[in-house]
Amino acid sequence: MVLFLRFVSYSFAFLPQATMAVRNVLVTGCSSGIGLALAVRLARDELKRFRVFATMRNLEKSEALKEQAGPALDKMLEIKELDVTSEDSIRRCVNSIPQRRVDVLVNNAGFGLIGPVESQSMASIQNLFDTNFFGLVRLIQEIFPDMKRRKRGHIVVMSSVLGLQGLLFNDIYSASKFAVEGFCESLALQALKFGIRISLIEPGPVLSEFERKLYEEAASMDLSGVDKETLDIFHNFYLAYSKEVFTALGQTPEEVAEHVLKVITSENPPLRYQTNSFYTPITTLKHADPSGNLPLNAFHQMIFQHDRLFKASLSLLKMLQWRKRRDMD
């Protein structure tokens, strides 16, 4: 009898992991980039902790996701249509999930916009905010009440270091991410009361379809109304060096997905999480001087007065990034 009880006790020691409740994770923007990489990473989790509802606006762009999901498709990953700019689309998607139970919402859908502010139409600016900011608000309005009733949930929002620190010719995109940061920081106070956590993921440059689209749009942008000096800065400095910045500091979508997984599985997930340690000193400058002059003057001098130092810094960062990846391999 004693041996039997020991056997039962020993067997039950393994049950928590084996019978751990599978969490429903709704991820938006999964046709490419970070959304695709994260959906696949969660669905192919060795411990099978997640049931992934990978969503996108256009299901015709789901082939890459299906291919990478492999055997997890239709078992741990289900592809659904969801357009964050449509309340009806969001509601239909959430209603199609059993008991409307979304344990983890990952708001990833979004796009960028670069260039001189005077060259950008109000329609394109409103379109960006409709996805990057109002899309998040629509999702929260649909899912947050259910989480509050269940007294649990985790909202993970793909923000950016540009939601903390503005960058040359990223005025509108940065503004949308600042809005996301302020919204989530305010909502986090209420959410915590209901046992819900909110996490802002803040990557730097990511080598993905997102980047390629940005440069394609910049190449066809109408700049006829922009003064010559601004054009020179945009073409000969920003566009020339931003590609080098992506090369020197850029992460792959898979690298960012690993960081997001760490946040999702954390017992005490942070409000803010930067995926790229190279950017921590840059964002820290802002907190070092409440007037804002320190980072503003530092960036102005680096870009317009000490461009040789800027180039040398990029070369050093490239070497450090190469060594880091070599060591990881």
Side-chain angles (χ1 to χ4, degrees):
M1 183 64 178
V2 173
L3 288 174
F4 174 77
L5 290 175
R6 285 181 179 175
F7 172 78
V8 170
S9 176
Y10 179 81
S11 299
F12 269 86
F14 291 91
L15 281 179
Q17 178 174 311
T19 62
M20 184 185 298
V22 175
R23 286 196 281 175
N24 285 349
V25 185
L26 174 64
V27 187
T28 65
C30 293
S31 61
S32 64
I34 296 172
L36 188 155
L38 178 62
V40 170
R41 179 66 183 86
L42 295 176
R44 302 188 71 164
D45 176 55
E46 292 180 357
L47 300 178
K48 300 188 183 301
R49 293 171 288 183
F50 311 105
R51 170 73 179 176
V52 181
F53 298 96
T55 72
M56 60 190 69
R57 183 175 55 182
N58 185 358
L59 291 178
E60 292 181 1
K61 296 182 178 181
S62 63
E63 289 307 312
L65 176 59
K66 290 177 181 177
E67 182 179 344
Q68 292 188 39
L73 185 65
D74 297 327
K75 294 178 181 177
M76 304 306 290
L77 183 144
E78 186 175 339
I79 301 174
K80 291 182 176 292
E81 181 181 359
L82 189 153
D83 179 357
V84 299
T85 66
S86 166
E87 293 177 34
D88 290 339
S89 175
I90 292 171
R91 188 167 297 113
R92 281 196 302 271
C93 180
V94 175
N95 284 342
S96 71
I97 297 173
Q99 292 84 50
R100 287 175 50 96
R101 184 171 65 85
V102 177
D103 301 301
V104 182
L105 167 65
V106 181
N107 179 79
N108 169 73
F111 62 92
L113 185 65
I114 59 173
V117 66
E118 61 266 44
S119 69
Q120 295 164 356
S121 68
M122 287 306 302
S124 64
I125 294 170
Q126 290 170 342
N127 188 33
L128 179 136
F129 266 83
D130 200 23
T131 297
N132 290 12
F133 177 66
F134 292 112
L136 167 63
V137 175
R138 292 185 189 99
L139 283 164
I140 297 293
Q141 288 180 329
E142 186 65 35
I143 292 171
F144 194 50
D146 291 339
M147 287 185 170
K148 288 199 288 186
R149 279 191 290 272
R150 292 194 299 270
K151 296 289 193 297
R152 65 170 63 90
H154 192 181
I155 298 169
V156 179
V157 179
M158 197 58 60
S159 181
S160 168
V161 292
L162 296 189
L164 299 174
Q165 177 67 57
L167 180 66
L168 189 69
F169 295 120
N170 280 262
D171 322 283
I172 305 304
Y173 177 74
S174 185
S176 73
K177 293 303 182 181
F178 265 73
V180 164
E181 292 270 335
F183 173 74
C184 290
E185 186 173 298
S186 299
L187 189 65
L189 293 169
Q190 179 195 157
L192 201 57
K193 175 68 176 175
F194 290 89
I196 302 165
R197 305 305 294 259
I198 295 180
S199 297
L200 288 153
I201 308 297
E202 298 162 339
V206 179
L207 303 166
S208 69
E209 187 76 4
F210 186 94
E211 175 207 6
R212 187 186 65 78
K213 286 181 180 178
L214 272 183
Y215 290 117
E216 282 184 356
E217 291 168 2
S220 60
M221 189 180 299
D222 180 10
L223 299 171
S224 58
V226 181
D227 63 275
K228 185 178 179 181
E229 187 175 1
T230 301
L231 281 177
D232 180 60
I233 298 169
F234 181 56
H235 283 298
N236 298 325
F237 180 83
Y238 178 78
L239 289 180
Y241 291 116
S242 63
K243 292 182 180 180
E244 291 194 35
V245 169
F246 269 87
T247 303
L249 297 175
Q251 293 178 297
T252 65
E254 289 72 23
E255 286 177 290
V256 177
E258 288 296 332
H259 285 286
V260 178
L261 175 64
K262 185 186 297 184
V263 171
I264 290 174
T265 56
S266 172
E267 292 184 7
N268 186 28
L271 173 63
R272 287 187 169 89
Y273 183 98
Q274 291 186 24
T275 68
N276 196 325
S277 59
F278 283 119
Y279 273 83
T280 303
I282 296 174
T283 55
T284 302
L285 278 178
K286 191 168 186 176
H287 300 289
D289 178 13
S291 75
N293 287 330
L294 178 60
L296 185 63
N297 291 333
F299 285 123
H300 184 270
Q301 291 181 26
M302 180 173 65
I303 292 170
F304 297 114
Q305 297 176 21
H306 303 294
D307 58 321
R308 289 184 179 178
L309 178 61
F310 178 73
K311 295 176 187 177
S313 299
L314 279 180
S315 298
L316 176 62
L317 289 171
K318 283 182 184 178
M319 184 183 71
L320 291 173
Q321 189 76 305
W322 174 80
R323 290 182 62 180
K324 179 181 177 182
R325 285 178 175 161
R326 182 198 63 183
D327 293 342
M328 288 175 65
D329 291 341

